[in-house]
């Protein structure tokens, strides 16, 4: 007879074996001659089995929930998500033979919904992004399941002291570079869990690296950082999938952030298009948000005569967004004219300035 401990041991063993089969993600150095002495790196999270940074989070959330006794051999898993976390959680739910339901806004890229279904999960769509929380709670009660709640548990499910987390990986991969301790790490917040992990790790390891968090339009994180008002809410959802929230999420920890910047959605999408020329492949718009913040910091460092390194994340592949960020009609209708920012990026390539 299989006891609950037998199942827990079996489930954790499966997740750990899956991790052991996975290699670390690459750290890509960008070739940007216009900012000589300032090295820029992308941690390519698109190479995870489920194609995004959220693969790390999903693994941590499952381990956390199993070890807390919240998930058992017949538990239906519910998650609220704009897409990538749900894809990754569907993967781990299938690994453990558990039913999975993702609650997502109807605006979520169709490719992500198809990936969730590929892993055996179901997509439960709502009209607006601010409806995902209550609907997830309702479904968890209806199915007697477990609401994974990435927005609450992301910052605590990952061991921020080290243990192969993303910050640990970045600093290990930087050891042989010209500037091995980054001047800046740049991250955009979805749950806020990754910025919390990186910021805590920097402090715990006593590094001089600073953490800059870049926020898209229609997100309250930037205003919360400046006001500390936890009741802030927005009327619209973010147009940059995976980042930006209409409410202050519990996993966003402002005290570990050294600086926050607002990046317009037009700049994010334009930078994603610009990066395709640099990398030879498409990236998601959240990567564009990250990189535009990196370029701003690099320009300022150059102006002050500083050298150093800046690291950010390539969050996911642009192949998921062929119908949106890489569709000219959709971009014109939902984002706007990219040309002014593409011109800024051309100026940057020529001069090392975004002015």
């Amino acid at each position: 007879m299989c006891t609950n401990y037998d199942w827990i041991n079996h489930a954790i063993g499966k997740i750990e074996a899956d991790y052991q089969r996975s290699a670390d993600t690459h750290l890509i150095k960008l070739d940007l001659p216009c900012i000589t002495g300032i090295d820029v790196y992308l941690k390519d999270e698109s190479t995870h089995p489920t194609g995004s940074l959220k693969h790390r989070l999903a693994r941590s959330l499952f381990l956390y929930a199993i070890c807390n006794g919240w998930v058992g051999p017949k538990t239906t898993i519910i998650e609220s998500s704009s897409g990538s976390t749900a894809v990754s959680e569907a993967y781990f739910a299938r690994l453990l033979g558990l039913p999975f339901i993702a609650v997502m806004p109807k605006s979520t890229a169709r490719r992500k919904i198809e990936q969730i279904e590929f892993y055996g999960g179901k997509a439960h769509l709502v009209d607006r992004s601010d409806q995902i929380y209550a609907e997830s709670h309702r479904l968890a009660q209806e199915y007697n399941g477990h609401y994974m709640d990435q927005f609450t548990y992301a910052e605590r499910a990952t061991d921020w002291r080290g243990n192969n987390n993303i910050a640990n990986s970045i600093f290990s991969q930087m050891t042989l570079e010209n500037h091995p301790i980054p001047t800046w790490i740049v991250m955009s917040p979805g749950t806020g869990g990754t910025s919390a992990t990186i910021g805590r790790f920097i402090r715990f390891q006593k590094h001089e690296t600073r953490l800059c968090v870049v926020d898209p339009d229609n997100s309250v994180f930037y205003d919360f950082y400046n006001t500390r008002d936890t009741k802030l809410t927005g009327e619209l959802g973010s147009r940059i999938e995976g980042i930006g929230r209409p409410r202050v999420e519990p996993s966003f920890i402002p005290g570990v952030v050294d600086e926050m910047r607002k990046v317009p959605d037009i700049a994010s999408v334009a930078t994603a298009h610009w990066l395709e020329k640099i990398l030879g492949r498409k990236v998601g718009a959240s990567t564009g948000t990250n990189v535009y913040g990196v370029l701003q910091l690099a320009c300022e460092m150059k102006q002050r005569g500083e050298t150093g390194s800046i690291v950010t994340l390539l969050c996911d592949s642009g192949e998921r967004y062929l119908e949106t960020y890489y569709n000219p009609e959709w971009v014109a209708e939902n984002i706007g004219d990219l040309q002014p920012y593409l011109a800024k990026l051309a100026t940057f390539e020529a001069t090392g300035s975004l002015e």
Side-chain angles (χ1 to χ4, degrees), residues 102-151:
V103 181
M104 301 182 296
K106 290 180 178 178
S107 59
T108 301
R110 181 64 205 168
R111 183 70 180 270
K112 289 184 179 179
I113 295 172
E114 291 170 353
Q115 287 180 302
I116 291 164
E117 293 170 344
F118 172 78
Y119 291 122
K122 296 180 180 178
H124 182 90
L125 303 180
V126 295
D127 291 326
R128 303 192 317 272
S129 59
D130 61 350
Q131 296 174 326
I132 60 176
Y133 314 101
E135 187 64 4
S136 295
H137 281 292
R138 188 191 70 78
L139 287 174
Q141 288 185 328
E142 179 181 329
Y143 287 91
N144 192 28
H146 173 64
Y147 172 27
M148 199 68 86
D149 195 0
Q150 59 166 322
F151 299 107

Side-chain angles (χ1 to χ4, degrees), residues 290-344:
N290 291 346
V291 173
Y292 195 79
V294 166
L295 299 185
Q296 286 181 323
L297 290 168
C299 290
E300 292 162 13
M301 287 175 65
K302 179 182 178 179
Q303 191 174 29
R304 293 191 297 265
E306 299 173 1
T307 59
S309 58
I310 308 175
V311 181
T312 192
L313 305 186
L314 194 166
C315 300
D316 62 2
S317 166
E319 302 304 317
R320 293 177 167 181
Y321 307 104
L322 298 180
E323 297 175 356
T324 53
Y325 304 125
Y326 291 94
N327 179 334
E329 290 78 17
W330 187 93
V331 171
E333 182 177 345
N334 294 276
I335 303 296
D337 182 9
L338 302 184
Q339 288 307 313
Y341 278 95
L342 290 173
K344 282 177 178 283

